[in-house]
Amino acid sequence: MDYQKLADLLFPDVTETPADLEARFPARQLPEGAKVTRFAPSPTGFVHFGGLFPVLVGERLAHQSGGVFYLRIEDTDARREVPGAAESLITTLEKYGIHFDEGAILGSDGKVTDTGIYGPYKQSVRGSIYHVYAKQLVRDGLAYPCFSTDEELEELANTDKKAEIKNMDWENQAAARKQAMLAQRDFTMEQVEAELAAGHAFVLRILADGDGEKKVVNTDLIRGKIEMPVNDEDFVLLKSDGIPTYHFAHAVDDHLMGTTHVIRGEEWLPSLPKHLQLFNYLHFRLPKYMHISQIMRLDENGNKKKLSKRDMGANLNDYARMGYCADAVVEYVLTLLNSNYEEWRTANPALPYTDFPFNIKKMSSSGCLFDFNKLNDVSKNVLSRMSADRIYDETCVWAEDNDPELYAHLTADPDYAKSIFAIGRGGKKPRKDFTVFGDVKPYLDFFYDDLFTVKDALPEGTDMADVAAAIAAFKDTYNEADDTNAWFDKVKAIAESLGYAADMKAYKADPAAFKGSVADISAFLRLAVTGRQNAPDLYTVMHLLGRERTFARLDSFLG
Ligand code: GLU
């Protein structure tokens, strides 16, 4: 067979050579050790939470090393493509603080466009590039046209052996199919010409010369040395419409775009021998591979299950709806990815996560376990560390879509709202009142007169005469100019005057000697002013409400 002639026959329009492409996409000039990573999603309209793992690993490895992190849209499977999915994917990742240096970005018209010289970064428009390499493989005798699809081959195999088919087991069927396919390896030029003349479409298959009994070895970045059988399957490179399969596009794109580290889901691990063979056939330098395990969750019976599409928390967009801030989700993923992240965070509460020295060696090769309790824990800490301004902004963004009433209140007087958020914030041990943004309203609604209600009751057996007397005395002596100590001294004085212990130690030493303690007096005042037993610092609350509203609440509490 004259392979050059076959190549020209199959790809008459391809005039560029691989050398032309190498010149058009020159090797990147980067400092020693700089890593080039990419996120290469197939946009299906659903951004899986699990996608954040390769995204964050790729982003950290690239940016920590002074390299490049780029986005490639793998949209070669038209059946899975959802209009607008690429755009919403980019927008979602942006919310999580994921920025790409290069690749597909959102243009000012809201549509995906390119930045960078290694584009196009959308596979559906790279057709001519793949064909250059496809032609080379045919010319080298490493790929051949097959005029039957997998389905047709199956049928072919079955009709040929109609008699035996009933008793044929799956393995034999596969063998027969393979035989029918292999027969096309040896098509003569005349046979190929006849097929083309008859208008038959072909798929391009690799000519797998591997011996399946032999092993191929690769060192995965987290799994270590992996041995797998050499590929011996003539897998498809180009589908009958000329569109590449994932395998072929992966090799061509990651080579031309200069990817040094391929970080992807473990579902691609079984295909690795195919990729190793292809890189070899194409004389491409092999990137380093990291296959990240599926995210697991525990089911009702405590068994590990894949976090599947239908599970709560599988869709990245669920988190915003549930009221988690993006920072918390990212921080949670980092705690799962690097075993020493939490320790680092405790030691460095104020640093951005990008200061954490991310380390591949600290990654576990077994699947991460998704756990809402842990996420909640992380989220509480993240929200507690935020400045008042920031949590105000973030809550407003959430409330605008999810709680219009809260949104209206917060935005009516931003300074007032920010002062509320500022209570107990900024110190070494900040208050941890919120896990999700949905916790904000029940925490601060009492600051707004129209939302204020008395939610809790006084403890049973409370002497209402004492409550009335405490409130009256408090009003008599209240001075807004008092500092917090002077304010509390007055509360203590009221306690004493009513037969309640002013000093907690004295009370604890002999509770029977008192009607109660200063804590009870504070509780009366707190319940009257905030409507609840637990509330932020009462002195500050009273200052924010102002004398008039504080007194009005004290009065109305007594009825
Ligand atoms: N498009 C592939 C996927 O979404 C990408 C795998 C890879 O990163 O190479 O699974």
Side-chain angles (χ1 to χ4, degrees), residues 38 40-42 74 246 263-264 267-268:
R38 83 298 193 273
S42 308
E74 306 215 322
Y246 167 76
I263 296 142
R264 61 185 182 186
E267 64 275 19
W268 293 111

Side-chain angles (χ1 to χ4, degrees), residues 312-531:
M312 190 58 155
N315 187 339
L316 206 45
N317 286 324
D318 287 347
Y319 293 90
R321 279 194 287 273
M322 288 188 278
Y324 288 99
C325 76
D327 277 15
V329 179
V330 167
E331 187 101 356
Y332 171 56
V333 171
L334 286 168
T335 63
L336 293 179
L337 277 174
N338 251 198
S339 51
N340 56 332
Y341 184 79
E342 259 183 299
E343 203 182 305
W344 175 86
R345 173 51 80 206
T346 310
N348 303 283
L351 295 182
Y353 75 81
T354 43
D355 282 13
F356 170 70
F358 188 85
N359 188 345
I360 295 175
K361 293 201 179 75
K362 300 273 186 204
M363 290 180 73
S364 143
S365 60
S366 56
C368 297
L369 199 59
F370 180 85
D371 174 9
F372 265 112
N373 291 331
K374 184 71 200 165
L375 168 64
N376 288 343
D377 202 40
V378 170
S379 182
K380 243 185 184 157
N381 286 320
V382 168
L383 292 181
S384 77
R385 286 194 303 265
M386 272 183 191
S387 69
D389 280 4
R390 169 99 195 274
I391 191 145
Y392 169 80
D393 289 343
E394 296 250 357
T395 307
C396 286
V397 169
W398 174 83
E400 191 170 9
D401 289 339
N402 297 283
D403 189 342
E405 184 183 58
L406 177 64
Y407 180 76
H409 282 77
L410 294 180
T411 52
D413 184 349
D415 288 340
Y416 179 60
K418 286 178 191 175
S419 318
I420 298 170
F421 280 115
I423 302 173
R425 215 161 259 285
K428 269 208 150 62
K429 282 215 158 92
R431 293 184 60 97
K432 294 185 185 179
D433 298 295
F434 316 132
T435 300
V436 288
F437 293 121
D439 297 337
V440 169
K441 194 195 223 167
Y443 167 82
L444 54 61
D445 55 0
F446 70 86
F447 279 100
Y448 297 91
D449 290 337
D450 59 326
L451 300 179
F452 169 73
T453 52
V454 177
K455 286 183 183 163
D456 294 339
L458 285 165
E460 222 162 288
T462 303
D463 185 341
M464 283 312 289
D466 286 351
V467 178
I471 287 178
F474 182 81
K475 283 175 63 187
D476 277 350
T477 58
Y478 184 67
N479 181 351
E480 265 191 299
D482 286 344
D483 66 12
T484 177
N485 291 328
W487 177 89
F488 193 52
D489 284 345
K490 285 181 177 174
V491 179
K492 284 199 228 171
I494 295 167
E496 211 152 73
S497 72
L498 294 173
Y500 288 67
D503 176 39
M504 287 311 286
K505 259 199 212 130
Y507 177 67
K508 277 186 188 138
D510 186 8
F514 304 95
K515 285 164 95 177
S517 76
V518 65
D520 297 308
I521 305 297
S522 297
F524 302 160
L525 296 171
R526 187 179 307 110
L527 194 64
V529 174
T530 69

Side-chain angles (χ1 to χ4, degrees), residues 209-245:
D209 64 353
D211 176 353
E213 300 294 310
K214 294 217 173 96
K215 298 269 189 266
V216 66
V217 178
N218 184 258
T219 305
D220 185 275
L221 289 165
I222 44 175
R223 287 156 201 265
K225 196 168 146 193
I226 299 175
E227 269 193 10
M228 298 173 91
V230 170
N231 176 60
D232 61 353
E233 181 191 327
D234 286 4
F235 63 91
V236 174
L237 300 173
L238 291 180
K239 293 177 256 185
S240 54
D241 51 8
I243 291 181
T245 54

